[in-house]
Amino acid sequence: MKIIDGKAISTEIRAELRERSEKLKAEKGITPGLAVIIVGDDPASQIYVRNKARACEELGFYSEVIRLPAETTEDEIGEVIDKLNADEKIHGILVQLPLPGHKDEKSLLLRISPEKDVDAFHPYNVGRISTGDYGFLPCTPAGVMELISRSGIEVSGKDCVVIGRSNIVGKPMGMLLINASGTVTVCHSRTNNLKEVCARADILVSAVGRADFVTADMVKDGAVVIDVGMNRNAAGKLCGDVAYDEVAPKTSYITPVPGGVGPMTITMLMRNTLYAAEQAAK
Ligand code: NAP
């Protein structure tokens, strides 16, 4: 059994990104710029936003955090997005979700220019992902694909099972695995015989959001297990979806939580921001 070290792989990719970014600056005089809009004061969102700004700083990117009060209207957020769409210093825009209140997140995400949509949530970019004609890649699934490929794991021809069908993780994860020529099953809360389906997987990706959800009897001997879940256990400790102690000995590769998929997501956001800046320089 090998533990996939997401921190080490993330550090390796960030070094590559720094090099690409310095080249862009030297050759075209462009510094990649990311704007993050945060509405309200949700503590988890504050931490995510801080980490994104810190990653920008580390890579020498320009970053702006636009903090808006919880009562900001959709129209007002839309106007901020319009300004950022027109701002040449900014190559990537993201709205930190969830938004407080009952705001129409979909229509706000649609307002972000597809060329600056570094979360890859805009239907234009979702469509490109489904056709395999990549521009931006959705950050968490793209991070999983990097963990798999940089660990030397072949996807082509493998039985891949994804648990979860959210627009952010499960669905695009399935799409990227299909594009890599895996044979993919995407499961959800209505899936029949989930245990049996999972136990057939050569590569099992869990994105459910429940501690100890994936147990040893759901995992084939020698499978690759990727744990996207980020949960708190009864003791308040960060954990994934996988009952790690009982599952790990059965696997050929497994990602830990923390230190697996988590560190990759922001790194992929940085990659998308750099890609946007490179495209703008063309
Ligand atoms: P989500 O929108 O709540 O989706 C959860 C999915 O799990 C849904 O598709 C749901 O099915 C499915 N599910 C729930 N109970 C199930 C059951 N008993 N059997 C089978 N499927 C079941 O969550 P998400 O945004 O995709 O996130 C999933 C997890 O990944 C969370 O823990 C989140 O914190 C974590 N996450 C981590 C990162 C990272 O950077 N590491 C990034 C994003 C998310 P239905 O569709 O039928 O309801």
Side-chain angles (χ1 to χ4, degrees):
M1 183 267 289
K2 285 196 181 131
I3 297 171
I4 299 178
D5 185 345
K7 255 189 170 167
I9 294 176
S10 171
T11 303
E12 179 184 311
I13 296 173
R14 287 191 191 196
E16 294 164 13
L17 297 180
R18 193 172 301 115
E19 215 169 280
R20 258 168 70 185
S21 165
E22 279 163 9
K23 188 164 175 261
L24 185 68
K25 267 184 223 169
E27 291 179 1
K28 309 270 184 176
I30 290 180
T31 300
L34 175 70
V36 181
I37 301 172
I38 176 165
V39 186
D41 48 15
D42 174 63
S45 294
Q46 299 284 349
I47 293 171
Y48 292 140
V49 167
R50 208 166 40 239
N51 289 343
K52 286 166 188 173
R54 197 173 292 154
C56 282
E57 203 176 302
E58 219 186 280
L59 290 180
F61 291 9
Y62 171 72
S63 81
E64 271 181 36
V65 177
I66 294 111
R67 293 176 194 283
L68 302 171
E71 52 282 5
T72 311
T73 64
E74 279 166 31
D75 276 349
E76 287 164 342
I77 301 170
E79 282 163 22
V80 172
I81 294 174
D82 290 345
K83 273 196 198 134
L84 294 169
N85 280 338
D87 186 339
E88 286 188 358
K89 293 191 303 300
I90 299 299
H91 304 98
I93 303 169
L94 73 84
V95 177
Q96 186 66 44
L97 300 178
L99 292 171
H102 299 284
K103 296 191 174 59
D104 182 358
E105 292 178 351
K106 271 191 189 150
S107 75
L108 285 171
L109 296 179
L110 268 176
R111 201 143 165 182
I112 296 174
S113 159
E115 291 79 39
K116 297 193 177 188
D117 170 40
V118 284
D119 260 338
F121 292 162
H122 191 290
Y124 172 81
N125 288 314
V126 175
R128 288 189 71 178
I129 292 153
S130 78
T131 58
D133 161 32
Y134 296 146
F136 297 119
L137 288 174
C139 298
T140 301
V144 170
M145 294 309 286
E146 286 292 333
L147 291 177
I148 290 174
S149 66
R150 287 178 188 247
S151 302
I153 298 162
E154 184 60 65
V155 175
S156 179
K158 298 280 172 62
D159 279 326
C160 306
V161 173
V162 180
I163 325 176
R165 58 169 162 180
S166 70
N167 290 331
I168 295 175
V169 188
K171 265 188 230 166
M173 187 71 251
M175 212 62 89
L176 296 188
L177 288 165
I178 290 171
N179 293 348
S181 300
T183 303
V184 180
T185 307
V186 178
C187 303
H188 44 77
S189 64
R190 306 287 181 88
T191 298
N192 289 329
N193 307 319
L194 182 71
K195 256 181 197 174
E196 289 76 2
V197 176
C198 292
R200 286 202 299 268
D202 300 311
I203 299 175
L204 179 64
V205 181
S206 183
V208 175
R210 269 168 63 178
D212 291 333
F213 185 80
V214 176
T215 45
D217 54 343
M218 295 166 75
V219 176
K220 181 162 94 174
D221 280 328
V224 173
V225 174
I226 308 286
D227 192 351
V228 180
M230 272 183 11
N231 315 299
R232 297 267 162 203
N233 65 14
K237 216 176 128 217
L238 182 65
C239 66
D241 291 346
V242 176
Y244 188 87
D245 291 344
E246 64 175 69
V247 169
K250 291 189 81 176
T251 63
S252 55
Y253 290 87
I254 188 165
T255 59
V257 178
V261 176
M264 295 297 289
T265 298
I266 292 185
T267 298
M268 294 296 102
L269 175 70
M270 296 298 113
R271 187 170 79 176
N272 280 346
T273 304
L274 174 59
Y275 171 79
E278 288 169 341
Q279 292 303 109
K282 279 188 178 165

